[in-house]
Amino acid sequence: MRILFRQSDTSAGICQLLVCLLLLPGMAWAGETAVEPSGNGVDLLQDSTDEGDARSSEASAAAEEFVEAVPAHPHEVPLADAVDTAEGQAKTLLLLGEEIPPGTALRLSWSATELFEGVPVSTPVLVVNGTEPGPTLCLTAAVHGDELNGIEMVRRVLHEIDPEKLSGAVIGVPIVNVQGFRRGSRYLPDRRDLNRYFPGNPDGSAAARIAYSLFNDVVAHCDALVDLHTGSFERANLPQIRADLRNPDVVTLTLGFGSMVVLHSKPNTGTLRHAATQAGIPAVTVEAGGPSQLELSEVKHGVKGIETLLTTLGMVRKIRLWGDPEPVYYRSSWVRADNGGILLSDVALGSTVRKGDLLGTITDPMSNARTELRSPYDGRIIGMARNQVVMPGFAAFHVGIQADDVTVEEESAPVDIAQKPGSGGYVDGMSE
Ligand SMILES: [Zn+2]
C-alpha cells in the first residue's frame, strides 16, 4: 500500500529537488577534487575506515566547536526489546513544530536555525507514525551532497510503509546537505564537510550550526539511526554497514539488516554516527556505491537491508526477511598507488582475492612504464576507485580482511585524524 505524504508547507519539496537534479547533468561535479595526502604504499589501519579528508585542519578546528550532545529522551530499553516492551497506545509525535498523530504519514520541512546567505534553506523530512507503539528509526541521506543513492533509498522505504501496520515511527531526511546537493558537491558552500561537525554548536561555524540544528531538531527524537552514504571522489563501495561492534545496541542494529557485508569501524569524532551513538542513539552507516550517480542495484540492496531491519526490529510484520548473513570484516586495508598514471582495475567490487593477486595496473602515459597493484592479504574488495588518472599515494583498492589473517590490536585507541595528519591512518575522504 502506498501512502501519499501530506505536505505541511509550500517549501521546495523533494520532487522538485529531484527534477532539479535531472536538469543539471554533470554540472559542477568537477572541481571538487580533494588534495591528496602523501601516501605510503599499503596501509594497514588501526581504524581502517577513517573518514578524514583534505579538510583535516578544519576537523581539528571543528573539534573545538562541539557541544555535548544531549538526547531529547532517554534510551533505556535495549533496541532489540523496544517493540516488545512498548506499552499502551502509540503516541503523537512532536517534531519540527508539528504534531504527527498515530496512523499518519506527513511531510515536514527542516531548516537550520541560522539562515544561510540570508535565505532560508529548507529540506523535506518524511515521517510515518504507526498505529502501534514502538521505537523511532531515523534514516538520513546526502549529508554529503553528491551522494545520491541514499536519497532514493529513503524515498522508496518511506513511501512503502503503511502507518496502519507500523509499530513505532520512521523519520527520513532524504537530503540533509541540501546546499551541497544543489551544487553537486560533497561539501557545504564554504567547502566544509558537514559530517565532521556533529553534534554541532549553535554558536559555531555554518557547518556547526547546521549540524546542531539537525541533531537537536530531528536526530534527538530517534531511538536508532541509519546514515546513508556512498564512496567519495570517484570511488565506489560494495554495499556495506559500518558499525562499532563494541556497542550491543549497534550490534542489534547491524544484525537486523540481514545479508549485508559488515565492516567493524569505530566512528570518528564529528561524524553523525559518532555523535548519535555518544548521545545514546545507536547508529550505523550504510555505504553503497559511488558519488554523483544513482545506481539501481545499490539502491535496491540498501532498501532490502532497511526493510529487513524494520522487520527484525519488530516494527513491521514481514515486509521481507533476508537471511544468510555476509561476513563481518574486523580489519581492512587500502592499497595505494606508488606511481602516478592511468589506473585500470583487474578486479570488481565484491571480488574475493588472494594474497598476491593482481588488483590493477597503473601505466605512465608518457613513459609507458607499467606498475602492478597486488593484494597484500587474502580478502574481499569492499571498495575501489573507478578507472582514472591517479597520483602516487592515491588509495585505489579497499580490501576487507579476515580477522585471523592479521594481528588485531583489540580496543586500541581510535586514530584521531585531526592529531595525525598525513599519518598512515589518514584516509582521504573515502566515505562517511
Ligand atoms: Zn558520505
Side-chain angles (χ1 to χ4, degrees):
M1 176 178 174
R2 295 181 64 82
I3 301 300
L4 290 176
F5 282 83
R6 181 157 58 83
Q7 190 172 5
S8 68
D9 72 344
T10 55
S11 63
I14 183 170
C15 296
Q16 290 158 272
L17 287 167
L18 287 174
V19 168
C20 164
L21 169 69
L22 293 172
L23 292 177
L24 295 170
M27 195 179 135
W29 308 121
E32 291 294 332
T33 48
V35 179
E36 292 273 347
S38 60
N40 54 353
V42 175
D43 294 334
L44 178 59
L45 305 175
Q46 290 294 318
D47 176 0
S48 58
T49 53
D50 277 346
E51 300 90 353
D53 66 7
R55 268 135 293 274
S56 61
S57 58
E58 290 192 359
S60 179
E64 298 167 12
E65 294 185 348
F66 295 138
V67 296
E68 190 175 349
V70 180
H73 57 281
H75 299 88
E76 287 161 359
V77 179
L79 186 59
D81 305 326
V83 170
D84 290 342
T85 58
E87 294 175 352
Q89 303 284 311
K91 294 186 179 70
T92 293
L93 269 180
L94 292 172
L95 186 70
L96 297 165
E98 299 273 347
E99 291 188 359
I100 306 109
T104 306
L106 193 64
R107 189 166 104 201
L108 311 177
S109 177
W110 164 67
S111 304
T113 49
E114 293 295 320
L115 307 185
F116 200 84
E117 296 164 340
V119 180
V121 178
S122 64
T123 189
V125 175
L126 309 177
V127 188
V128 182
N129 192 11
T131 50
E132 300 296 325
T136 298
L137 176 69
C138 291
L139 310 174
T140 49
V143 170
H144 295 128
D146 63 346
E147 299 183 356
L148 308 181
N149 290 334
I151 300 172
E152 176 65 359
M153 289 181 207
V154 173
R155 185 191 71 79
R156 290 186 179 210
V157 170
L158 267 291
H159 285 272
E160 282 298 319
I161 297 172
D162 181 350
E164 298 293 327
K165 297 175 180 172
L166 178 68
S167 298
V170 182
I171 298 173
V173 189
I175 308 172
V176 171
N177 180 359
V178 66
Q179 297 163 77
F181 171 77
R182 283 177 171 158
R183 297 163 50 247
S185 167
R186 175 179 177 85
Y187 303 113
L188 292 168
D190 63 1
R191 298 276 296 164
R192 280 190 167 90
D193 184 331
L194 179 58
N195 210 27
R196 304 292 178 269
Y197 289 84
F198 288 100
N201 185 329
D203 303 315
S205 65
R209 291 171 193 227
I210 292 167
Y212 181 86
S213 173
L214 181 81
F215 200 88
N216 288 275
D217 295 346
V218 179
V219 174
H221 295 267
C222 312
D223 296 308
L225 173 77
V226 179
D227 190 24
L228 303 167
H229 285 258
T230 73
S232 59
F233 306 124
E234 296 298 313
R235 295 185 188 88
N237 286 324
L238 188 71
Q240 61 196 259
I241 301 160
R242 295 194 177 172
D244 186 345
L245 298 177
R246 298 168 303 170
N247 180 320
D249 275 343
V250 171
V251 171
T252 299
L253 196 57
T254 303
L255 296 178
F257 282 82
S259 187
M260 197 180 280
V261 164
V262 177
L263 181 60
H264 169 56
S265 150
K266 288 171 262 186
N268 279 313
T269 304
T271 58
L272 179 53
R273 176 160 71 100
H274 180 265
T277 306
Q278 284 291 106
I281 303 163
V284 298
T285 298
V286 168
E287 294 272 348
S292 306
Q293 295 186 11
L294 280 161
E295 298 162 301
L296 189 57
S297 66
E298 280 77 1
V299 168
K300 286 181 174 175
H301 200 113
V303 168
K304 197 170 175 183
I306 296 164
E307 292 186 343
T308 301
L309 175 65
L310 288 169
T311 307
T312 51
L313 289 179
M315 295 175 68
V316 297
R317 277 205 198 118
K318 202 176 176 202
I319 288 185
R320 49 180 35 153
L321 273 174
W322 199 16
D324 301 328
E326 290 272 353
V328 175
Y329 296 104
Y330 286 92
R331 305 286 286 171
S332 67
S333 171
W334 275 98
V335 179
R336 291 177 180 269
D338 285 331
N339 303 87
I342 295 169
L343 169 69
L344 295 174
S345 298
D346 284 87
V347 291
L349 266 184
S351 296
T352 299
V353 294
R354 307 290 297 176
K355 185 175 180 178
D357 280 358
L358 182 67
L359 302 180
T361 59
I362 297 170
T363 307
D364 184 325
M366 305 303 157
S367 69
N368 201 34
R370 202 178 85 137
T371 55
E372 295 178 337
L373 292 177
R374 292 188 175 273
S375 179
Y377 299 101
D378 293 348
R380 190 158 177 213
I381 303 299
I382 59 173
M384 61 185 279
R386 294 168 180 155
N387 289 337
Q388 59 190 286
V389 179
V390 300
M391 294 188 294
F394 183 85
F397 298 95
H398 196 190
V399 184
I401 308 167
Q402 306 292 337
D404 53 4
D405 288 349
V406 293
T407 305
V408 179
E409 291 179 38
E410 286 293 338
E411 304 303 317
S412 57
V415 176
D416 185 341
I417 51 130
Q419 293 173 1
K420 287 184 147 185
S423 74
Y426 182 91
V427 176
D428 31 358
M430 305 308 180
S431 59
E432 67 178 288

